[in-house]
Amino acid sequence: MKPIQMVDLKGQYEKIKDEVNQGIQDCIDATAFINGPAVMEFQRDFENYLQVKHVIPCANGTDALQIAMMALGLKLGDEVIVPAFTYVATAEVIGLLGLKPVMVDVDADTFNIEIENLEKYVTANTKAIVPVHLYGQSADMEKVMKFAEKHNLFVIEDNAQAIGADYTFADGTSKKTGTIGHIGCTSFFPSKNLGCYGDGGALMTNDDELAAKIRMIANHGQEKKYYHKVLGCNSRLDTIQAAVLKVKLKHLDKYSAARNKMADYYDEHLKDIDAIEIPVRASDSNHVFHQYTLKIKNGKRDDLQAYLKEKGIPSMIYYPLPLCRQEAFQQYVEDGFSLPVTEDLCKEVLSLPVHTEFDQEVQDYIISEVKSFFNKN
Ligand SMILES: *Cc1c(COP(=O)(O)O)cnc(C)c1O
């Protein structure tokens, strides 16, 4: 058996090699490295796929979040509500811009922002909320949007982990995650569901004015070359990365289905282990399984991870420490501040390999080793 990886990018590449290589070769032949034709072509394809008016490509997902905050005209000291159970990028950019990240708890089943008890965090300075669609499943956007409307907040979706997922509203209409709030942000980091072969990211919006502002900010604050209206940054998607993404976008739905197949197979074989809670699938969103994340309820998560490692099976803990307990974020919280659900999840979650290249033999091996651990523990 070949070495097991969290994500099998090599196996995926083998199947699209000719097309990807041709796309890259075309960029080199045209020496169109910056803003070459593939960038605009991918942008159009992605707008069509997402059914959104504007996609603005940029250099990475963290930049996308930062540019979103800048485009909304937030001022020093403004507060932004963000879940504490997420990757650091979501909250980091808030702090970097002199805004205040207000970290809140998540739902224990879906791992996504808990809206029920949020009123107490709203102040006169609260200006935005950032739902993160963690592990590949949409946050409860019906509730997020209602809450935001009530308090007049901007909604920035962090869709780095759920590209391709659909959210269904109570009235039966569906939208792609990332196109529901004022601005959506995503990342094309190689291991993301739509990943390129380096760094990349994008913003999405249906608002023409915001789109123009985002474009300007990502391009040094200029609309006309050498005339700078606002302070911006330099954040572009490489043409070569756009060429890769153009090919991979065509396969995205198939990739999501393959991830679901692996997840279904894990579910079926792990659901009867007492100490394990398999991922809960929300009724209002499909799941694109960026991660397949178990909750290990008997306090032996770390032992399981060590055991699997010994057997050559990688696993990951996303995330081991709540944002509100990170050293870098102590300036934003009172001593002893704690979010109980996030706190528990950080001790329980374990993500198993899930990707687009289903291999029954490998997955059976992973499952049998998880079972054998719990037979002994
Ligand atoms: C990956 C990720 C980001 C950042 O993306 P980069 O392209 O690495 O900057 C932001 N938020 C979440 C939730 C992510 O998973």
Side-chain angles (χ1 to χ4, degrees):
M1 201 161 49
K2 58 184 188 220
I4 306 174
Q5 291 175 294
M6 284 299 285
V7 195
D8 184 4
L9 291 177
K10 188 81 194 291
Q12 188 189 65
Y13 169 66
E14 292 299 335
K15 295 178 187 158
I16 52 173
K17 193 171 182 171
D18 291 344
E19 227 185 329
V20 167
N21 288 3
Q22 189 58 54
I24 294 174
Q25 190 62 53
D26 289 347
C27 296
I28 299 171
D29 289 343
T31 60
F33 303 117
I34 302 294
N35 290 332
V39 177
M40 183 62 85
E41 287 159 16
F42 168 66
Q43 178 191 311
R44 294 261 155 78
D45 292 351
F46 205 31
E47 284 165 353
N48 277 333
Y49 175 81
L50 294 170
Q51 292 293 296
V52 71
K53 245 170 129 181
H54 305 280
V55 162
I56 304 98
C58 68
N60 58 66
T62 309
D63 271 12
L65 288 158
Q66 179 179 327
I67 294 165
M69 308 277 166
M70 292 168 78
L72 292 172
L74 305 185
K75 291 188 300 294
L76 281 183
D78 281 351
E79 295 174 12
V80 180
I81 295 173
V82 57
F85 192 60
T86 180
Y87 182 53
V88 66
T90 322
E92 183 180 42
V93 298
I94 300 170
L96 272 178
L97 292 173
L99 312 170
K100 182 183 176 192
V102 175
M103 292 165 278
V104 303
D105 220 343
V106 295
D107 177 85
D109 287 335
T110 63
F111 308 109
N112 282 325
I113 192 164
E114 171 67 83
I115 303 298
E116 299 303 339
N117 303 308
L118 277 194
E119 301 283 339
K120 61 174 183 266
Y121 294 100
V122 178
T123 74
N125 295 327
T126 312
K127 296 292 158 59
I129 180 168
V130 188
V132 180
H133 306 308
L134 206 71
Y135 302 153
Q137 184 163 253
S138 180
D140 187 339
M141 288 308 289
E142 185 107 33
K143 281 193 188 149
V144 169
M145 297 311 287
K146 275 201 188 120
F147 178 82
E149 261 165 50
K150 181 171 171 201
H151 298 285
N152 203 17
L153 310 179
F154 292 115
V155 177
I156 302 168
E157 298 174 71
D158 183 341
N159 197 30
Q161 299 191 4
I163 207 72
D166 298 288
Y167 179 80
T168 304
F169 291 86
D171 67 4
T173 57
S174 287
K175 281 186 182 170
K176 290 278 179 211
T177 53
T179 69
I180 301 165
H182 297 89
I183 304 178
C185 298
T186 199
S187 161
F188 304 125
F189 187 83
S191 61
K192 299 282 156 92
N193 286 31
L194 179 61
C196 57
Y197 293 168
D199 275 306
L203 300 95
M204 305 120 213
T205 184
N206 282 305
D207 182 319
D208 297 342
E209 229 171 280
L210 265 179
K213 206 150 174 218
I214 289 167
R215 241 173 232 295
M216 179 169 74
I217 290 169
N219 184 24
H220 295 294
Q222 63 189 349
E223 275 167 340
K224 191 175 156 197
K225 207 167 171 67
Y226 304 126
Y227 293 83
H228 306 274
K229 272 197 185 166
V230 294
L231 294 180
C233 53
N234 174 28
S235 192
R236 293 181 288 243
L237 179 67
D238 276 3
T239 313
I240 286 179
Q241 301 306 338
V244 173
L245 289 166
K246 235 179 76 179
V247 174
K248 287 183 67 172
L249 178 60
K250 289 191 276 186
H251 300 280
L252 181 58
D253 287 343
K254 199 176 68 194
Y255 289 162
S256 300
R259 288 172 175 278
N260 267 277
K261 186 176 164 193
M262 273 189 88
D264 291 345
Y265 198 75
Y266 277 134
D267 276 3
E268 190 188 326
H269 292 90
L270 299 177
K271 67 177 189 309
D272 295 329
I273 300 175
D274 283 344
I276 285 182
E277 272 182 28
I278 58 172
V280 172
R281 303 185 189 207
S283 57
D284 53 6
S285 169
N286 60 350
H287 207 314
V288 293
F289 284 102
H290 174 59
Q291 298 298 340
Y292 182 85
T293 304
L294 300 171
K295 283 192 271 179
I296 309 300
K297 302 298 281 188
N298 65 352
K300 302 221 161 129
R301 191 265 317 264
D302 292 349
D303 294 343
L304 171 61
Q305 185 176 39
Y307 176 85
L308 293 176
K309 189 173 175 211
E310 241 171 66
K311 303 288 176 188
I313 300 168
S315 62
M316 294 291 282
I317 296 166
Y318 303 112
Y319 297 92
L321 191 64
L323 283 188
C324 54
R325 290 221 287 122
Q326 300 282 354
E327 230 179 299
F329 289 84
Q330 289 315 297
Q331 55 188 306
Y332 304 112
V333 290
E334 311 262 319
D335 280 352
F337 177 83
S338 170
L339 298 167
V341 177
T342 298
E343 217 39 76
D344 285 347
L345 291 178
C346 288
K347 295 187 193 102
E348 292 172 355
V349 291
L350 190 70
S351 300
L352 297 180
V354 67
H355 48 72
T356 59
E357 308 307 306
F358 177 77
D359 179 330
Q360 171 125 17
E361 189 197 354
V362 170
Q363 214 182 342
D364 282 338
Y365 173 68
I366 297 171
I367 288 164
S368 75
E369 289 302 343
V370 171
K371 282 186 172 162
S372 104
F373 174 83
F374 284 108
N375 282 338
K376 294 176 214 152
N377 283 276

